[in-house]
Amino acid sequence: MDPTPPLPPKSLTEPDGSVVIRVLSYNLRSLHDDEDALARVIRACAPDLVLAQEAPRFFRWRKHAARLAAKCDLVVLGGGATAAGPLLLCSLRALVERTEDVLLPLGPGLHRRGFATAVVRFGAVRLGVISTHLSLEREERGQQTGMLLERVASMDVPYVIVGGDVNETPVGDAFGRLAGVLQDCWAVAPWGGEHTFPAGPGVRADRRIDAVFASSGVEVLACGVPVGLPGVADRDLGAATDHLPVLAVLRLPAGP
């Protein structure tokens, strides 16, 4: 494998007020794996926002989320059990305007799903963020995709970023519908690795089911699995959880 090319600048505010941020989407598998390896991967990615899925939902779940955030030099922004698993973490660079956890309709015999949402500012730039984990069942996944796009349209902000475990590849209906409205950041500016699942010691991921999406106006500088990124060890990626993370570097232009 060729060395992963350097990423654009980490986090900065440009002279005109535009901002460059790093966004990480990551399925945590309820912290059942090597939490220290997970924290090392997240820290090395230096994210401003983490849009996580499968955060702990049961006994002392807030404590578990806060512990992970502290290990990553981040803070809990929203979500967790109150969003049925999606969790938002952020750096102190983010100014929080509001958060809302959304529980989706529960079908008989199916797993409860939800959205963790927030509106934040970086300098004068406002954006909405959503973490989601769509259903394993195709029909329900399609319904949830419609609800997700409705939520995106209702956030009343210049930009929206969605990170999630879509539970299907880009050829699927739900993934295609999302990519038809939002930018599929990997498709726009591929960097690093592509496939995100399955992961584990000695396991080679062969599917892209995790993604970062961005609304129009967001400039995608780079997006992909951070293989080869300084500080991200292959052994940590395999030990952290059963998914690989997706890191996006995004430029949000300042308003007029």
Side-chain angles (χ1 to χ4, degrees):
M1 178 183 296
D2 293 333
T4 300
L7 282 178
K10 289 186 180 180
S11 300
L12 57 88
T13 301
E14 298 175 346
D16 69 350
S18 301
V19 297
V20 174
I21 64 172
R22 289 190 176 195
V23 178
L24 189 71
S25 181
Y26 211 165
N27 184 311
L28 309 181
R29 207 166 84 108
S30 299
L31 302 182
H32 288 324
D33 301 285
D34 187 332
E35 187 175 312
D36 290 333
L38 176 70
R40 286 192 294 268
V41 171
I42 294 174
R43 283 200 312 272
C45 292
D48 298 285
L49 295 164
V50 176
L51 283 51
Q53 303 83 44
E54 288 195 36
R57 296 184 296 119
F58 301 110
F59 184 64
R60 293 182 176 174
W61 65 269
R62 289 183 176 87
K63 179 179 179 180
H64 295 309
R67 184 184 65 241
L68 176 65
K71 287 183 178 182
C72 301
D73 300 321
L74 301 169
V75 296
V76 175
L77 174 56
T82 48
L87 175 72
L88 301 174
L89 307 178
C90 68
S91 72
L92 294 179
R93 186 177 177 222
L95 176 65
V96 182
E97 283 194 12
R98 66 178 187 268
T99 65
E100 182 179 4
D101 300 332
V102 180
L103 291 177
L104 302 180
L106 178 61
L110 298 175
H111 177 73
R112 172 72 79 180
R113 305 283 177 173
F115 305 145
T117 80
V119 173
V120 300
R121 289 179 183 263
F122 291 93
V125 178
R126 300 175 67 240
L127 69 148
V129 294
I130 303 174
S131 177
T132 184
H133 187 183
L134 299 183
S135 176
L136 288 165
E137 197 277 323
R138 181 183 178 192
E139 182 177 353
E140 186 183 45
R141 187 165 61 244
Q143 295 169 351
Q144 292 167 355
T145 300
M147 297 173 198
L148 176 58
L149 291 173
E150 288 174 0
R151 175 64 53 166
V152 168
S154 71
M155 295 194 79
D156 191 28
V157 288
Y159 310 111
V160 179
I161 300 165
V162 176
D165 177 349
V166 185
N167 263 324
E168 67 177 32
T169 68
V171 300
D173 293 340
F175 202 120
R177 188 175 174 190
L178 291 171
V181 176
L182 303 168
Q183 300 180 80
D184 172 5
C185 294
W186 159 261
V188 173
W191 164 92
E194 177 182 5
H195 298 136
T196 64
F197 185 82
V203 177
R204 185 180 181 88
D206 59 9
R207 281 160 276 174
R208 182 162 78 96
I209 66 172
D210 304 86
V212 175
F213 299 93
S215 60
S216 62
V218 175
E219 183 181 353
V220 184
L221 303 180
C223 180
V225 176
V227 290
L229 184 71
V232 176
D234 288 344
R235 63 181 179 275
D236 283 343
L237 287 172
T241 173
D242 63 344
H243 287 244
L244 297 177
V246 180
L247 177 62
V249 182
L250 309 173
R251 181 178 180 272
L252 310 178

